[in-house]
DNA sequence: GCCGTTTTCGGCCCGACTGTTTTCAGTCG
């Protein structure tokens, strides 16, 4: 096992310990810390073990060290196996219920034997929860509502997860000889941030043979009508296959890509093998799939040139192990280099974000030394020193004037007090936008797709101020956030706001959020010129320096 | 379970909020 797999196992032990020994929460915390300590190690875990330095690492002691050694050597830990055996396999699915944490889950399991959403619902409906210590009528009511939310979300999927599943299915189709062509359509092709099912268009001249073959590709496959087969993937995701003749592939692709409103506005769909020809024959300008949501999307006179991943020359909003990232400064910079980026803006958390390991001034200086040390190894990559600084409840920016002036750029984000009223929240953000050190506004609404609504805010007032102050609004590409929502972008544009596509990367892998962020920008109709990080390193450096001078000069 | 030291126990990150209490516990970020 590598360090990340081992760290995941340690996190799992930690979660089980909160259930198994709720009175000793620090034991669980110790395993969590050990996981974190391991992730932030530069060196290979097997080297650390061989040299005897493992347990000298801060946060890793005798017990956690022994578990790490077992996992590294055997790929399993008897201690973890034992813990798993003590609880029902689905017990952590209960965490999907809002406001239900491990402490309460432990009580529910211990006293009522609750081990799944179904168990929990039955217990709540039987009015059994109110009898438990720490639970009351309101909690029981909220849990019942929460179960509904958890179930509702169960059948919806984040775009990258659904896309990957869909592409896997499409690859399997390649082995079916009778299939001439296959393409993913539906909301996945439109790059909608949350989708409910997979749609795949299949071109074939031998319909019956393909239908027979499809029955083996997905579970519970069944013919809906002559052209449609429906099935289930991995026991959770609905898959629809749309069969058509090769000469009809383009038209079927258009029809099943949707949206329903867009297709209705399109009117009669001419037959064509190629989708672009469908538009030509209908005497309509081609509309990229991402832009096919409303009837208006068809009426635009000129299709704008949409931004593409390859246009992004660099990126901002990247975390490292100095705060809550999982890869070191060098690893994050190296990965950016491998992606062919010209520049990276590192931005770890500020002190107010305690839970995320926000950086003190001393830790900042250490990080800057580490950046300097790493630069020769990642040349010619340019590195900008930034921060993701908390917008405090009163609207001031964490760190304060003296420290903020030292950064090349500042991303201002809200990480606390989400439940303020709309007016209070708006005022808070407006005040933050007035701080001359702020370069970007981070994840504007704080939403987490499928788990948490964003806080309420007066968008127009925020856009107006951001436009006036020249503060760019981040399009956070983290698939869980995708915040700013593409639906709000046109309004922001009308106030002169500019954007940056930021990955909010907490690991090397999460640079992938540049792709999802680009999808959002495309859905919003943005071109390369409207995205700050399509500019080259010199332009960006000049812009940031100029802004800094403005902040200093007042 | 880990760590440090005023070495072998006591603290471990913290503040807001909510619902449960009657002074606090669990959850969240």
């Amino acid at each position: 096992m590598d360090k990340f797999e081992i760290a995941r196992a340690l996190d799992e032990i930690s979660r089980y310990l909160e259930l198994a020994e709720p009175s000793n929460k620090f034991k669980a915390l110790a395993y969590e810390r050990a996981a974190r300590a391991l992730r932030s190690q530069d060196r290979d875990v097997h080297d650390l073990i061989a040299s005897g330095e493992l347990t000298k690492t801060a946060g890793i002691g005798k017990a956690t060290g022994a578990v790490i050694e077992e996992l590294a050597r055997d790929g399993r830990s008897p201690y973890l196996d034992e813990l798993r055996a003590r609880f029902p396999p689905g017990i952590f699915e209960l965490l999907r219920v809002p406001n239900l944490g491990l402490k309460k889950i432990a009580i529910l399991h211990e006293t009522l034997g609750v081990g799944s959403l179904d168990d929990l619902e039955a217990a709540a409906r039987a009015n059994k929860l109110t009898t438990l210590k720490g639970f009351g009528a309101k909690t029981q009511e909220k849990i019942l509502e929460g179960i509904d939310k958890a179930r509702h979300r169960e059948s919806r999927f984040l775009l990258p997860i659904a896309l990957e599943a869909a592409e896997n299915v499409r690859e399997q189709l390649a082995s079916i000889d009778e299939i001439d062509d296959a393409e993913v359509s539906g909301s996945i092709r439109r790059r909608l941030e949350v989708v409910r099912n997979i749609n795949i268009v299949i071109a074939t001249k031998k319909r019956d043979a393909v239908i027979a073959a499809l029955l083996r590709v997905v579970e519970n496959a069944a013919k809906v009508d002559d052209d449609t087969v429906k099935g289930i993937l991995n026991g959770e995701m609905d898959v629809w296959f749309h069969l058509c003749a090769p000469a009809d592939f383009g038209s079927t692709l258009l029809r099943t890509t949707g949206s329903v409103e867009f297709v209705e506005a399109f009117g009669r769909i001419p037959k064509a093998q190629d989708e672009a020809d469908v538009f030509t024959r209908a005497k309509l300008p081609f509309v990229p799939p991402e832009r096919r949501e409303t009837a208006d999307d068809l009426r635009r006179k000129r299709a704008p040139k949409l931004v593409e991943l390859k246009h992004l020359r660099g990126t901002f909003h990247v975390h490292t192990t100095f705060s809550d990232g999982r890869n070191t400064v060098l690893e994050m910079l190296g990965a950016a280099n491998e992606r062919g980026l010209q520049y990276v803006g590192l931005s770890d958390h500020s002190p107010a974000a305690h839970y995320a390991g926000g950086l003190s001034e001393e830790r900042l200086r250490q990080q800057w030394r580490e950046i300097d040390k790493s630069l020769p190894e990642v040349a010619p990559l340019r590195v900008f020193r930034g921060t993701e600084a908390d917008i405090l409840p009163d609207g001031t920016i964490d760190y304060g004037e003296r420290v903020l002036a030292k950064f090349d750029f500042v991303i201002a984000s809200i990480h606390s007090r989400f439940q303020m009223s709309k007016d209070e929240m708006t005022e808070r953000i407006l005040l933050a936008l007035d701080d001359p050190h702020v370069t970007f506004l981070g994840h504007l609404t704080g939403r987490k797709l499928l788990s948490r609504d964003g806080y309420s805010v007066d968008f127009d007032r925020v856009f107006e101020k951001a436009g006036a102050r020249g503060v760019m609004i981040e399009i956070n590409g983290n698939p869980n956030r995708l915040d700013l929502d593409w639906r709000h972008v046109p309004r922001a544009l009308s106030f002169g706001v500019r954007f940056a596509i930021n990955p909010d990367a907490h690991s090397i892998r999460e640079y992938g959020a540049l792709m999802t962020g680009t999808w959002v920008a495309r859905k919003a109709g943005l071109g390369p010129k409207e995205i700050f990080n399509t500019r080259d390193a010199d332009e960006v450096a000049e812009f940031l320096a100029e802004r800094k001078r403005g902040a200093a000069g007042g």
Side-chain angles (χ1 to χ4, degrees), chain A residues 269-285:
Chain A
I269 301 175
K271 282 197 176 193
Q273 182 159 5
D274 188 86
E275 196 189 50
D277 292 339
V278 181
F279 283 89
T280 310
R281 286 178 197 175
K283 297 191 166 54
L284 289 165

mmCIF file with all atom_site columns, all heavy atoms in Angstrom, chain A residues 269-285:
data_model
loop_
_atom_site.group_PDB
_atom_site.id
_atom_site.type_symbol
_atom_site.label_atom_id
_atom_site.label_alt_id
_atom_site.label_comp_id
_atom_site.label_asym_id
_atom_site.label_entity_id
_atom_site.label_seq_id
_atom_site.pdbx_PDB_ins_code
_atom_site.Cartn_x
_atom_site.Cartn_y
_atom_site.Cartn_z
_atom_site.occupancy
_atom_site.B_iso_or_equiv
_atom_site.pdbx_formal_charge
_atom_site.auth_seq_id
_atom_site.auth_comp_id
_atom_site.auth_asym_id
_atom_site.auth_atom_id
_atom_site.pdbx_PDB_model_num
ATOM 1   N N   . ILE A 1 269 ? -36.380 17.996 -36.286 1.00 0.00 ? 269 ILE A N   1
ATOM 2   C CA  . ILE A 1 269 ? -34.952 17.684 -36.362 1.00 0.00 ? 269 ILE A CA  1
ATOM 3   C C   . ILE A 1 269 ? -34.652 16.948 -37.673 1.00 0.00 ? 269 ILE A C   1
ATOM 4   O O   . ILE A 1 269 ? -35.107 15.827 -37.856 1.00 0.00 ? 269 ILE A O   1
ATOM 5   C CB  . ILE A 1 269 ? -34.519 16.803 -35.160 1.00 0.00 ? 269 ILE A CB  1
ATOM 6   C CG1 . ILE A 1 269 ? -34.807 17.545 -33.847 1.00 0.00 ? 269 ILE A CG1 1
ATOM 7   C CG2 . ILE A 1 269 ? -33.049 16.438 -35.266 1.00 0.00 ? 269 ILE A CG2 1
ATOM 8   C CD1 . ILE A 1 269 ? -34.537 16.716 -32.609 1.00 0.00 ? 269 ILE A CD1 1
ATOM 9   N N   . PRO A 1 270 ? -33.909 17.568 -38.586 1.00 0.00 ? 270 PRO A N   1
ATOM 10  C CA  . PRO A 1 270 ? -33.570 16.889 -39.839 1.00 0.00 ? 270 PRO A CA  1
ATOM 11  C C   . PRO A 1 270 ? -32.671 15.684 -39.577 1.00 0.00 ? 270 PRO A C   1
ATOM 12  O O   . PRO A 1 270 ? -31.897 15.689 -38.609 1.00 0.00 ? 270 PRO A O   1
ATOM 13  C CB  . PRO A 1 270 ? -32.800 17.965 -40.623 1.00 0.00 ? 270 PRO A CB  1
ATOM 14  C CG  . PRO A 1 270 ? -33.015 19.239 -39.905 1.00 0.00 ? 270 PRO A CG  1
ATOM 15  C CD  . PRO A 1 270 ? -33.310 18.898 -38.489 1.00 0.00 ? 270 PRO A CD  1
ATOM 16  N N   . LYS A 1 271 ? -32.759 14.679 -40.447 1.00 0.00 ? 271 LYS A N   1
ATOM 17  C CA  . LYS A 1 271 ? -31.910 13.499 -40.292 1.00 0.00 ? 271 LYS A CA  1
ATOM 18  C C   . LYS A 1 271 ? -30.500 13.793 -40.770 1.00 0.00 ? 271 LYS A C   1
ATOM 19  O O   . LYS A 1 271 ? -30.317 14.431 -41.802 1.00 0.00 ? 271 LYS A O   1
ATOM 20  C CB  . LYS A 1 271 ? -32.471 12.335 -41.119 1.00 0.00 ? 271 LYS A CB  1
ATOM 21  C CG  . LYS A 1 271 ? -33.661 11.655 -40.460 1.00 0.00 ? 271 LYS A CG  1
ATOM 22  C CD  . LYS A 1 271 ? -33.915 10.290 -41.076 1.00 0.00 ? 271 LYS A CD  1
ATOM 23  C CE  . LYS A 1 271 ? -35.046 9.605  -40.315 1.00 0.00 ? 271 LYS A CE  1
ATOM 24  N NZ  . LYS A 1 271 ? -35.161 8.204  -40.620 1.00 0.00 ? 271 LYS A NZ  1
ATOM 25  N N   . ALA A 1 272 ? -29.520 13.350 -39.978 1.00 0.00 ? 272 ALA A N   1
ATOM 26  C CA  . ALA A 1 272 ? -28.124 13.474 -40.421 1.00 0.00 ? 272 ALA A CA  1
ATOM 27  C C   . ALA A 1 272 ? -27.265 12.572 -39.551 1.00 0.00 ? 272 ALA A C   1
ATOM 28  O O   . ALA A 1 272 ? -27.577 12.321 -38.387 1.00 0.00 ? 272 ALA A O   1
ATOM 29  C CB  . ALA A 1 272 ? -27.656 14.914 -40.307 1.00 0.00 ? 272 ALA A CB  1
ATOM 30  N N   . GLN A 1 273 ? -26.179 12.100 -40.143 1.00 0.00 ? 273 GLN A N   1
ATOM 31  C CA  . GLN A 1 273 ? -25.273 11.240 -39.393 1.00 0.00 ? 273 GLN A CA  1
ATOM 32  C C   . GLN A 1 273 ? -24.420 12.087 -38.440 1.00 0.00 ? 273 GLN A C   1
ATOM 33  O O   . GLN A 1 273 ? -24.082 11.659 -37.352 1.00 0.00 ? 273 GLN A O   1
ATOM 34  C CB  . GLN A 1 273 ? -24.358 10.480 -40.366 1.00 0.00 ? 273 GLN A CB  1
ATOM 35  C CG  . GLN A 1 273 ? -23.412 9.526  -39.664 1.00 0.00 ? 273 GLN A CG  1
ATOM 36  C CD  . GLN A 1 273 ? -22.897 8.445  -40.599 1.00 0.00 ? 273 GLN A CD  1
ATOM 37  O OE1 . GLN A 1 273 ? -23.178 8.451  -41.801 1.00 0.00 ? 273 GLN A OE1 1
ATOM 38  N NE2 . GLN A 1 273 ? -22.152 7.502  -40.044 1.00 0.00 ? 273 GLN A NE2 1
ATOM 39  N N   . ASP A 1 274 ? -24.085 13.288 -38.909 1.00 0.00 ? 274 ASP A N   1
ATOM 40  C CA  . ASP A 1 274 ? -23.239 14.171 -38.132 1.00 0.00 ? 274 ASP A CA  1
ATOM 41  C C   . ASP A 1 274 ? -24.100 15.253 -37.477 1.00 0.00 ? 274 ASP A C   1
ATOM 42  O O   . ASP A 1 274 ? -24.954 15.849 -38.124 1.00 0.00 ? 274 ASP A O   1
ATOM 43  C CB  . ASP A 1 274 ? -22.210 14.817 -39.077 1.00 0.00 ? 274 ASP A CB  1
ATOM 44  C CG  . ASP A 1 274 ? -21.176 15.591 -38.297 1.00 0.00 ? 274 ASP A CG  1
ATOM 45  O OD1 . ASP A 1 274 ? -20.183 14.971 -37.865 1.00 0.00 ? 274 ASP A OD1 1
ATOM 46  O OD2 . ASP A 1 274 ? -21.380 16.807 -38.098 1.00 0.00 ? 274 ASP A OD2 1
ATOM 47  N N   . GLU A 1 275 ? -23.861 15.502 -36.206 1.00 0.00 ? 275 GLU A N   1
ATOM 48  C CA  . GLU A 1 275 ? -24.729 16.440 -35.501 1.00 0.00 ? 275 GLU A CA  1
ATOM 49  C C   . GLU A 1 275 ? -24.646 17.858 -36.066 1.00 0.00 ? 275 GLU A C   1
ATOM 50  O O   . GLU A 1 275 ? -25.649 18.577 -36.148 1.00 0.00 ? 275 GLU A O   1
ATOM 51  C CB  . GLU A 1 275 ? -24.393 16.456 -34.009 1.00 0.00 ? 275 GLU A CB  1
ATOM 52  C CG  . GLU A 1 275 ? -25.480 17.090 -33.164 1.00 0.00 ? 275 GLU A CG  1
ATOM 53  C CD  . GLU A 1 275 ? -25.056 17.305 -31.721 1.00 0.00 ? 275 GLU A CD  1
ATOM 54  O OE1 . GLU A 1 275 ? -23.969 17.867 -31.498 1.00 0.00 ? 275 GLU A OE1 1
ATOM 55  O OE2 . GLU A 1 275 ? -25.815 16.906 -30.818 1.00 0.00 ? 275 GLU A OE2 1
ATOM 56  N N   . ALA A 1 276 ? -23.435 18.267 -36.454 1.00 0.00 ? 276 ALA A N   1
ATOM 57  C CA  . ALA A 1 276 ? -23.276 19.616 -37.009 1.00 0.00 ? 276 ALA A CA  1
ATOM 58  C C   . ALA A 1 276 ? -24.144 19.791 -38.253 1.00 0.00 ? 276 ALA A C   1
ATOM 59  O O   . ALA A 1 276 ? -24.697 20.872 -38.491 1.00 0.00 ? 276 ALA A O   1
ATOM 60  C CB  . ALA A 1 276 ? -21.807 19.866 -37.336 1.00 0.00 ? 276 ALA A CB  1
ATOM 61  N N   . ASP A 1 277 ? -24.277 18.713 -39.042 1.00 0.00 ? 277 ASP A N   1
ATOM 62  C CA  . ASP A 1 277 ? -25.106 18.780 -40.254 1.00 0.00 ? 277 ASP A CA  1
ATOM 63  C C   . ASP A 1 277 ? -26.580 18.973 -39.912 1.00 0.00 ? 277 ASP A C   1
ATOM 64  O O   . ASP A 1 277 ? -27.334 19.553 -40.700 1.00 0.00 ? 277 ASP A O   1
ATOM 65  C CB  . ASP A 1 277 ? -24.953 17.502 -41.094 1.00 0.00 ? 277 ASP A CB  1
ATOM 66  C CG  . ASP A 1 277 ? -23.551 17.392 -41.684 1.00 0.00 ? 277 ASP A CG  1
ATOM 67  O OD1 . ASP A 1 277 ? -22.876 18.442 -41.783 1.00 0.00 ? 277 ASP A OD1 1
ATOM 68  O OD2 . ASP A 1 277 ? -23.136 16.267 -42.025 1.00 0.00 ? 277 ASP A OD2 1
ATOM 69  N N   . VAL A 1 278 ? -26.982 18.479 -38.755 1.00 0.00 ? 278 VAL A N   1
ATOM 70  C CA  . VAL A 1 278 ? -28.379 18.669 -38.329 1.00 0.00 ? 278 VAL A CA  1
ATOM 71  C C   . VAL A 1 278 ? -28.671 20.159 -38.200 1.00 0.00 ? 278 VAL A C   1
ATOM 72  O O   . VAL A 1 278 ? -29.693 20.656 -38.664 1.00 0.00 ? 278 VAL A O   1
ATOM 73  C CB  . VAL A 1 278 ? -28.653 17.953 -36.990 1.00 0.00 ? 278 VAL A CB  1
ATOM 74  C CG1 . VAL A 1 278 ? -30.111 18.128 -36.581 1.00 0.00 ? 278 VAL A CG1 1
ATOM 75  C CG2 . VAL A 1 278 ? -28.295 16.480 -37.086 1.00 0.00 ? 278 VAL A CG2 1
ATOM 76  N N   . PHE A 1 279 ? -27.717 20.877 -37.571 1.00 0.00 ? 279 PHE A N   1
ATOM 77  C CA  . PHE A 1 279 ? -27.885 22.329 -37.426 1.00 0.00 ? 279 PHE A CA  1
ATOM 78  C C   . PHE A 1 279 ? -27.892 23.008 -38.797 1.00 0.00 ? 279 PHE A C   1
ATOM 79  O O   . PHE A 1 279 ? -28.717 23.863 -39.070 1.00 0.00 ? 279 PHE A O   1
ATOM 80  C CB  . PHE A 1 279 ? -26.755 22.912 -36.560 1.00 0.00 ? 279 PHE A CB  1
ATOM 81  C CG  . PHE A 1 279 ? -26.937 22.667 -35.086 1.00 0.00 ? 279 PHE A CG  1
ATOM 82  C CD1 . PHE A 1 279 ? -26.439 21.514 -34.486 1.00 0.00 ? 279 PHE A CD1 1
ATOM 83  C CD2 . PHE A 1 279 ? -27.609 23.585 -34.290 1.00 0.00 ? 279 PHE A CD2 1
ATOM 84  C CE1 . PHE A 1 279 ? -26.601 21.291 -33.130 1.00 0.00 ? 279 PHE A CE1 1
ATOM 85  C CE2 . PHE A 1 279 ? -27.773 23.362 -32.930 1.00 0.00 ? 279 PHE A CE2 1
ATOM 86  C CZ  . PHE A 1 279 ? -27.273 22.208 -32.349 1.00 0.00 ? 279 PHE A CZ  1
ATOM 87  N N   . THR A 1 280 ? -26.948 22.602 -39.651 1.00 0.00 ? 280 THR A N   1
ATOM 88  C CA  . THR A 1 280 ? -26.842 23.213 -40.984 1.00 0.00 ? 280 THR A CA  1
ATOM 89  C C   . THR A 1 280 ? -28.147 23.042 -41.751 1.00 0.00 ? 280 THR A C   1
ATOM 90  O O   . THR A 1 280 ? -28.677 23.996 -42.318 1.00 0.00 ? 280 THR A O   1
ATOM 91  C CB  . THR A 1 280 ? -25.690 22.556 -41.771 1.00 0.00 ? 280 THR A CB  1
ATOM 92  O OG1 . THR A 1 280 ? -24.536 22.544 -40.944 1.00 0.00 ? 280 THR A OG1 1
ATOM 93  C CG2 . THR A 1 280 ? -25.397 23.343 -43.039 1.00 0.00 ? 280 THR A CG2 1
ATOM 94  N N   . ARG A 1 281 ? -28.655 21.815 -41.760 1.00 0.00 ? 281 ARG A N   1
ATOM 95  C CA  . ARG A 1 281 ? -29.881 21.544 -42.517 1.00 0.00 ? 281 ARG A CA  1
ATOM 96  C C   . ARG A 1 281 ? -31.079 22.278 -41.929 1.00 0.00 ? 281 ARG A C   1
ATOM 97  O O   . ARG A 1 281 ? -32.035 22.580 -42.637 1.00 0.00 ? 281 ARG A O   1
ATOM 98  C CB  . ARG A 1 281 ? -30.150 20.041 -42.557 1.00 0.00 ? 281 ARG A CB  1
ATOM 99  C CG  . ARG A 1 281 ? -29.192 19.348 -43.510 1.00 0.00 ? 281 ARG A CG  1
ATOM 100 C CD  . ARG A 1 281 ? -29.371 17.863 -43.568 1.00 0.00 ? 281 ARG A CD  1
ATOM 101 N NE  . ARG A 1 281 ? -28.156 17.285 -44.165 1.00 0.00 ? 281 ARG A NE  1
ATOM 102 C CZ  . ARG A 1 281 ? -27.933 15.995 -44.279 1.00 0.00 ? 281 ARG A CZ  1
ATOM 103 N NH1 . ARG A 1 281 ? -28.821 15.127 -43.838 1.00 0.00 ? 281 ARG A NH1 1
ATOM 104 N NH2 . ARG A 1 281 ? -26.823 15.566 -44.824 1.00 0.00 ? 281 ARG A NH2 1
ATOM 105 N N   . ALA A 1 282 ? -31.034 22.529 -40.624 1.00 0.00 ? 282 ALA A N   1
ATOM 106 C CA  . ALA A 1 282 ? -32.133 23.269 -39.998 1.00 0.00 ? 282 ALA A CA  1
ATOM 107 C C   . ALA A 1 282 ? -31.915 24.781 -40.130 1.00 0.00 ? 282 ALA A C   1
ATOM 108 O O   . ALA A 1 282 ? -32.722 25.567 -39.630 1.00 0.00 ? 282 ALA A O   1
ATOM 109 C CB  . ALA A 1 282 ? -32.247 22.886 -38.526 1.00 0.00 ? 282 ALA A CB  1
ATOM 110 N N   . LYS A 1 283 ? -30.804 25.146 -40.796 1.00 0.00 ? 283 LYS A N   1
ATOM 111 C CA  . LYS A 1 283 ? -30.443 26.567 -40.986 1.00 0.00 ? 283 LYS A CA  1
ATOM 112 C C   . LYS A 1 283 ? -30.308 27.298 -39.645 1.00 0.00 ? 283 LYS A C   1
ATOM 113 O O   . LYS A 1 283 ? -30.802 28.418 -39.457 1.00 0.00 ? 283 LYS A O   1
ATOM 114 C CB  . LYS A 1 283 ? -31.467 27.270 -41.879 1.00 0.00 ? 283 LYS A CB  1
ATOM 115 C CG  . LYS A 1 283 ? -31.523 26.685 -43.282 1.00 0.00 ? 283 LYS A CG  1
ATOM 116 C CD  . LYS A 1 283 ? -32.332 27.562 -44.217 1.00 0.00 ? 283 LYS A CD  1
ATOM 117 C CE  . LYS A 1 283 ? -32.138 27.206 -45.679 1.00 0.00 ? 283 LYS A CE  1
ATOM 118 N NZ  . LYS A 1 283 ? -32.395 25.760 -45.981 1.00 0.00 ? 283 LYS A NZ  1
ATOM 119 N N   . LEU A 1 284 ? -29.645 26.623 -38.725 1.00 0.00 ? 284 LEU A N   1
ATOM 120 C CA  . LEU A 1 284 ? -29.413 27.215 -37.401 1.00 0.00 ? 284 LEU A CA  1
ATOM 121 C C   . LEU A 1 284 ? -27.919 27.161 -37.095 1.00 0.00 ? 284 LEU A C   1
ATOM 122 O O   . LEU A 1 284 ? -27.225 26.241 -37.533 1.00 0.00 ? 284 LEU A O   1
ATOM 123 C CB  . LEU A 1 284 ? -30.169 26.422 -36.323 1.00 0.00 ? 284 LEU A CB  1
ATOM 124 C CG  . LEU A 1 284 ? -31.690 26.572 -36.321 1.00 0.00 ? 284 LEU A CG  1
ATOM 125 C CD1 . LEU A 1 284 ? -32.333 25.484 -35.483 1.00 0.00 ? 284 LEU A CD1 1
ATOM 126 C CD2 . LEU A 1 284 ? -32.082 27.955 -35.797 1.00 0.00 ? 284 LEU A CD2 1
ATOM 127 N N   . PRO A 1 285 ? -27.403 28.157 -36.358 1.00 0.00 ? 285 PRO A N   1
ATOM 128 C CA  . PRO A 1 285 ? -25.987 28.097 -35.978 1.00 0.00 ? 285 PRO A CA  1
ATOM 129 C C   . PRO A 1 285 ? -25.756 26.972 -34.974 1.00 0.00 ? 285 PRO A C   1
ATOM 130 O O   . PRO A 1 285 ? -26.620 26.703 -34.132 1.00 0.00 ? 285 PRO A O   1
ATOM 131 C CB  . PRO A 1 285 ? -25.740 29.461 -35.325 1.00 0.00 ? 285 PRO A CB  1
ATOM 132 C CG  . PRO A 1 285 ? -27.067 29.932 -34.875 1.00 0.00 ? 285 PRO A CG  1
ATOM 133 C CD  . PRO A 1 285 ? -28.085 29.338 -35.791 1.00 0.00 ? 285 PRO A CD  1
#
